[in-house]
Amino acid sequence: MSITPPHGARWPDIAAATGGGAGTTITGRDGAGTPLGPIADWPASLRTAFALCRLSPAPAVLWWGDGPVALPNDVYRDLLGPDHDAPTGVDWWPGDRDALAALLAGVGAGGPAATSPDVPVRRTRDGVDEERWFTFTHTPVTDESGRPAGVLTVGAETTAAVVGARRLRLLAVLADALAGAADPLEVARRAVATLAGAGRAPFAQLHLVTPDGPRLAAADGADVPPGAPGGWPLAEVLADGVPRLVPPRATAGRPAAPVVAVLPVPDPAAGPAAVLVAGLDPRRPVDADHRAFAGLVAGQIGAALAAARARQADHLRSGGGPDPSRAERRALRRAEALARLAGALSSARGREAVVQVLTTLAPAVVDAAALRVAIAPPGLTVLDVAGDDTPAGRLPIDADDPLARAVRGDAALPPAGGRTTGLCLPLRDGDGHALGALEVRWAGPVADDEALRNLLDTVAGLGSQALQRAELTGSAQAMAGFAARLSVTRSTAEAIEVILDAATTALGAELPGLAMRGEGRRVRLWHHDDVPGTLAATFRDLTVDDPRPIVRALRAGERIVLRDRAEFAARFPGLPDPVGAHGLVTTVALPLFGAGHRPIAALGFGWRRERPLRDTDLALLDTVADLCEQTLERVRLAAAEHNLVTRLAGRLRSSSLTTPPGVEVATRYRPAMSGLHLGGDWYDLVRQDGDRLAVVVGDVVGHQVEAAADMAQLRTMLNTLIRMGVPLEEVFLRLTELLGVGFLGTCLVVVVDPAARTARVARAGHPHPVLLPVGRPPHSVQTANALPLGMVDRPMTVTIVPFAPGDVLVAYTDGLVERRGRPYDEGVAALRRSLAGVRDEPVEAIADALLHDLAGSEDDQALVVLRHLG
């Protein structure tokens, strides 16, 4: 792909044609009146970042400049609604704008990527209020000089996790409110008041079952609509125990009512104890999760009703009435234990915490002797098992174990009926997919009846809600960590390493591979060493017309999701399936796009068990793609600049066409790769009379174009002064007189005289050269203290050292030895150790060894190695 952006006059048309509404709106304005300036004059870094933003499938906004100016994509604009139609500043943010401003300032000042977790986004669409939550990742974007100039914000939806946590909190509050209620009427009043007070149910009614039929015991809500035609279907629900959903209907003078749920309220010791009529939260879709939550609420109320009846019986007994039944006392204990379980799960953070709560508190709810929990990580072939006072371990999903069979069959074991000493129940998400299973065991046989199953279903429902929330929260945290790791990558190789290591970790996937175009029609597949050699061998000779999914994704920009190998065979008939042969079942090929919306890479990975990809999973795929695309584009630009600087350094090499006889010389220059930087380090070799050689190594402060310009000027002036025969002790003083003090840097000049077997050293604030004499250890050449360039105001002291046949002399810039978090002297010591280890090698090999052993610099590196040949 060309590194040159489209011509300024053409670029607005391209942006408008490919950017949707965002591209048309932004490019259609006269940018001269904004801090961005005329759009045709935008720098390449802004164009690239805006292209990545507007083409992102996830909601994204680019903040640019000190303002900052906000440039959102269509998905982000649609998320906030039609009121935002101008590129303003933080008005585009749906959350706390002061907090955003501080966060953007930190990231824009060179800080790492940051996150804004669970930001609420509210808008009205078609007369219906929507409420969603997103975790936004803020990644710095650098300009052409390598400095942060903007921040790209990308959102991943966390609505399911937030709603799940809120529902668990409501269950905990409800359990606390119902604890200790003295009679069923008190339970009804507290339950209805709690539900209506939570602000999520427009109204609630509780009808208690009496010998004369259901009777309204409590009702609350700001706007209780009338019953459905013919009344609420109370009798029908009591007759068959099946919940009903009553659709909204308009009445005269009032808007349409919400969807109303009419649910049986189970009694753990008997049949239905009541009927709950509740308006469902109009801000949330009436999906499987919503219906399951309503069922959990009904179950909680049923347990409280049973406990209240037990308390009534106990009160009668204390006043001389009949002794409460054993079933009533058990119902009281179970209701209190269920309240503790709901409260603890609502505050549990992370999967391990949820499992800990279930294994310690759930047994008391059902009077069990032991309880085990198996978690089924999506797409993996093993279960994580904990509980029963045994260490946590792993269980193959195909094992002949009740937990494994419950997950595989997605059904309770054994079937209901009769007496049993143990039961297994599957844990499911809102779409019915397995999250794991519970195994409950009793000390002796118990009646496996409807009452026990209702209670176990309530426990399983609470656990499923908590696990689903933990899974989504964990994915969001993994995405934030992935973004942070990508934000500090400095090269394509580093970016690929992070992508292969971290992108699939957030999804629990295996065997990742990244396909990228090579020379001509070739395609190269990058992968980790854990990919089996027999599998890697099948992808060695790829070309762009290869029919396999990962290359097709790269060629056509198509996201390919294959649920199982049967779907692979149907979509790619006759094509060998080496991925399936190595155990992967569900596979994904994810295209990654560059700034011109052309696919530049494709990321492939898979799972060893079929994984249903829900909407939240697909949103994570979009986020992974967006983060990878931005990073690859950033390091591509950095690599292009690096190549430019390297070529420039090649042109600035020695002005000496030949080295004098008796001296062997090797030179190296490696620019920094910490951004789009143009370095200020240099070296020069100047041939002098008498077969003498002047070696010059210098470093100008900075990494920007101005530093490079200073470097070129200094290099030229020093070369000229040395050629004119200016005495070495006066070279730096003359330089100050000619150029003044408008620059700052360091420099070293070493004049080697092979015939005289000496080296004369003048140093202006620069690192000391290192001398390796024959038969002796290397040491730094000590000279008199000297001021840096731009501050020299008197002749320098010249140090003369022996330079005998076989001796090696090394001159370098501080980028070779200086590292963040390490004392400078340790770096010099490392240089001397490395030099001693290769003392007998040719100077070219010595130079290569020093750069290899002292890798990891964030600064430019210039190096000259000389040997006296005798």
Side-chain angles (χ1 to χ4, degrees):
M1 182 185 298
S2 171
I3 65 169
T4 305
H7 187 274
R10 293 177 50 240
W11 191 80
D13 295 334
I14 296 173
T18 60
T24 301
T25 300
I26 293 171
T27 58
R29 289 193 175 88
D30 178 10
T34 75
L36 301 179
I39 191 168
D41 296 338
W42 284 7
S45 54
L46 174 54
R47 297 180 187 182
T48 299
F50 176 52
L52 291 171
C53 173
R54 74 178 191 273
L55 296 172
S56 169
V61 56
L62 175 65
W63 314 94
W64 196 264
D66 297 331
V69 174
L71 302 173
N73 68 358
D74 281 354
V75 186
Y76 191 94
R77 288 157 56 92
D78 182 68
L79 184 66
L80 267 62
D83 294 337
H84 295 82
D85 62 353
T88 57
V90 294
D91 289 343
W92 275 98
W93 184 243
D96 185 333
R97 292 167 183 173
D98 291 337
L100 174 72
L103 187 148
L104 293 181
V107 175
T115 59
S116 298
D118 299 333
V119 177
V121 180
R122 301 178 179 90
R123 61 163 294 184
T124 300
R125 192 193 303 267
D126 299 327
V128 178
D129 291 337
E130 285 186 351
E131 188 175 41
R132 301 164 70 184
W133 284 263
F134 288 78
T135 289
F136 290 96
T137 302
H138 313 278
T139 307
V141 179
T142 55
D143 62 15
E144 285 69 20
S145 69
R147 293 173 297 187
V151 175
L152 180 62
T153 295
V154 181
E157 187 162 8
T158 56
T159 300
V162 173
V163 171
R166 191 175 63 191
R167 287 171 175 170
L168 283 172
R169 285 195 297 270
L170 176 56
L171 290 171
V173 170
L174 180 63
D176 185 63
L178 299 181
D183 57 59
L185 284 175
E186 182 66 20
V187 170
R189 287 192 290 269
R190 292 187 185 185
V192 167
T194 301
L195 293 177
R200 300 299 169 183
F203 75 94
Q205 298 177 353
L206 193 67
H207 300 257
L208 294 177
V209 173
T210 71
D212 299 325
R215 178 173 62 88
L216 179 63
D220 200 355
D223 194 15
V224 181
W232 302 116
L234 306 179
E236 294 88 337
V237 168
L238 287 174
D240 58 20
V242 177
R244 283 2 183 231
L245 292 178
V246 180
R249 66 187 185 91
T251 56
R254 60 194 304 160
V259 173
V260 177
V262 184
L263 306 101
V265 177
D267 185 329
V275 179
L276 175 65
V277 179
L280 299 181
D281 185 351
R283 301 178 185 86
R284 309 269 15 108
V286 184
D287 53 14
D289 271 346
H290 207 156
R291 295 192 297 272
F293 170 67
L296 289 175
V297 170
Q300 192 115 324
I301 296 173
L305 286 172
R309 291 193 180 94
R311 288 191 181 87
Q312 276 187 321
D314 187 57
H315 177 70
L316 290 173
R317 182 185 62 79
S318 63
D323 193 27
S325 70
R326 185 174 175 183
E328 289 170 334
R329 290 196 299 272
R330 182 176 61 192
L332 177 60
R333 290 195 309 271
R334 286 177 170 177
E336 292 171 344
L338 189 63
R340 288 193 294 271
L341 176 64
L345 286 175
S346 70
S347 57
R349 295 292 180 267
R351 191 181 74 176
E352 291 75 14
V354 171
V355 170
Q356 177 70 17
V357 169
L358 285 173
T359 55
T360 55
L361 298 184
V365 179
V366 292
D367 300 321
L371 183 144
R372 287 196 304 164
V373 181
I375 306 299
L380 299 189
T381 59
V382 293
L383 304 174
D384 295 324
V385 181
D388 196 17
D389 296 327
T390 58
R394 311 199 90 180
L395 178 70
I397 201 167
D398 57 358
D400 187 20
D401 183 280
L403 279 172
R405 285 188 280 122
V407 173
R408 290 199 309 270
D410 192 25
L413 298 172
R419 298 181 69 79
T420 183
T421 59
L423 285 172
C424 280
L425 294 92
L427 302 172
R428 304 183 182 97
D429 62 23
D431 297 324
H433 302 133
L435 294 170
L438 285 177
E439 181 189 50
V440 185
R441 294 200 168 274
W442 291 271
V446 298
D448 181 13
D449 53 20
E450 182 181 359
L452 179 61
R453 288 292 178 133
N454 286 336
L455 195 58
L456 287 170
D457 286 343
T458 300
V459 172
L462 288 169
S464 296
Q465 291 265 357
L467 286 172
Q468 187 175 0
R469 172 175 60 90
E471 178 186 332
L472 291 169
T473 301
S475 295
Q477 291 172 341
M479 284 296 103
F482 178 43
R485 289 187 62 182
L486 283 176
S487 70
V488 297
T489 56
R490 301 177 299 170
S491 67
T492 300
E494 287 184 7
I496 291 173
E497 182 69 22
V498 172
I499 289 170
L500 293 176
D501 182 53
T504 51
T505 301
L507 298 167
E510 296 185 53
L511 302 185
L514 186 72
M516 301 184 73
R517 291 181 182 269
E519 295 183 2
R521 299 182 57 79
R522 296 182 62 82
V523 172
R524 178 177 179 182
L525 186 72
W526 300 75
H527 58 81
H528 276 159
D529 293 338
D530 59 356
V531 174
T534 52
L535 176 59
T538 64
F539 289 92
R540 276 202 188 113
D541 298 318
L542 295 177
T543 60
V544 293
D545 53 0
D546 193 285
R548 280 175 280 193
I550 194 168
V551 181
R552 179 168 161 181
L554 173 62
R555 182 177 61 248
E558 173 188 358
R559 183 171 69 186
I560 302 173
V561 178
L562 301 171
R563 183 172 52 86
D564 53 31
R565 304 333 292 164
E567 186 171 345
F568 172 87
R571 293 185 60 180
F572 299 90
L575 193 64
D577 185 13
V579 171
H582 282 79
L584 294 188
V585 178
T586 299
T587 54
V588 171
L590 189 64
L592 307 178
F593 296 91
H597 201 51
R598 289 166 47 193
I600 59 173
L603 178 63
F605 47 86
W607 297 267
R608 297 189 182 275
R609 184 166 62 91
E610 182 178 329
R611 172 166 184 174
L613 291 173
R614 300 163 292 175
D615 289 343
T616 51
D617 297 317
L618 296 177
L620 284 177
L621 291 181
D622 289 339
T623 302
V624 166
D626 188 84
L627 292 171
C628 293
E629 288 163 0
Q630 186 210 352
T631 301
L632 289 174
E633 187 68 12
R634 174 174 58 80
V635 298
R636 182 188 68 81
L637 291 173
E641 188 76 11
H642 175 266
N643 292 336
L644 176 63
V645 173
T646 303
R647 290 196 301 270
L648 175 62
R651 296 186 178 216
L652 294 178
R653 289 191 181 210
S654 172
S655 61
S656 175
L657 297 179
T658 61
T659 55
V663 178
E664 183 184 21
V665 181
T667 58
R668 296 290 187 272
Y669 173 74
R670 184 162 60 186
M673 276 296 292
S674 57
L676 305 184
H677 290 163
L678 195 60
D681 290 23
W682 89 92
Y683 65 83
D684 198 3
L685 304 177
V686 185
R687 181 79 173 267
Q688 293 186 289
D689 295 337
D691 288 334
R692 293 179 301 151
L693 179 68
V695 177
V696 184
V697 180
D699 183 1
V700 177
V701 173
H703 292 287
Q704 299 167 22
V705 175
E706 292 82 359
D710 287 345
M711 175 266 286
Q713 187 178 20
L714 288 169
R715 180 181 183 277
T716 301
M717 294 301 298
L718 281 168
N719 186 293
T720 302
L721 292 172
I722 293 171
R723 283 182 177 280
M724 291 173 60
V726 173
L728 183 55
E729 58 268 24
E730 296 183 10
V731 165
F732 295 132
L733 175 61
R734 295 284 187 90
L735 189 67
T736 303
E737 293 172 350
L738 290 169
L739 297 179
V741 294
F743 57 89
L744 185 63
T746 66
C747 189
L748 172 75
V749 180
V750 180
V751 178
V752 175
D753 189 340
R757 300 186 176 187
T758 61
R760 305 176 70 240
V761 181
R763 187 179 65 88
H766 200 79
H768 298 271
V770 172
L771 180 64
L772 176 60
V774 173
R776 286 184 289 166
H779 65 275
S780 297
V781 175
Q782 298 300 319
T783 67
N785 292 332
L787 295 173
L789 292 177
M791 301 178 67
V792 177
D793 58 359
R794 66 193 65 185
M796 307 286 290
T797 299
V798 175
T799 301
I800 303 176
V801 295
F803 188 56
D807 291 353
V808 175
L809 185 67
V810 177
Y812 56 92
T813 56
D814 58 6
L816 189 68
V817 296
E818 198 168 40
R819 299 292 183 273
R820 185 179 302 175
R822 183 180 75 178
Y824 181 84
D825 290 344
E826 289 186 13
V828 176
L831 167 63
R832 292 199 291 260
R833 287 194 300 271
S834 177
L835 181 60
V838 292
R839 63 188 310 150
D840 296 327
E841 299 291 330
V843 290
E844 293 287 346
I846 292 175
D848 289 338
L850 293 179
L851 287 181
H852 176 271
D853 294 347
L854 301 172
S857 175
E858 297 181 3
D859 201 356
D860 306 328
Q861 297 170 317
L863 171 67
V864 179
V865 181
L866 304 97
R867 172 179 274 130
H868 194 309
L869 296 177

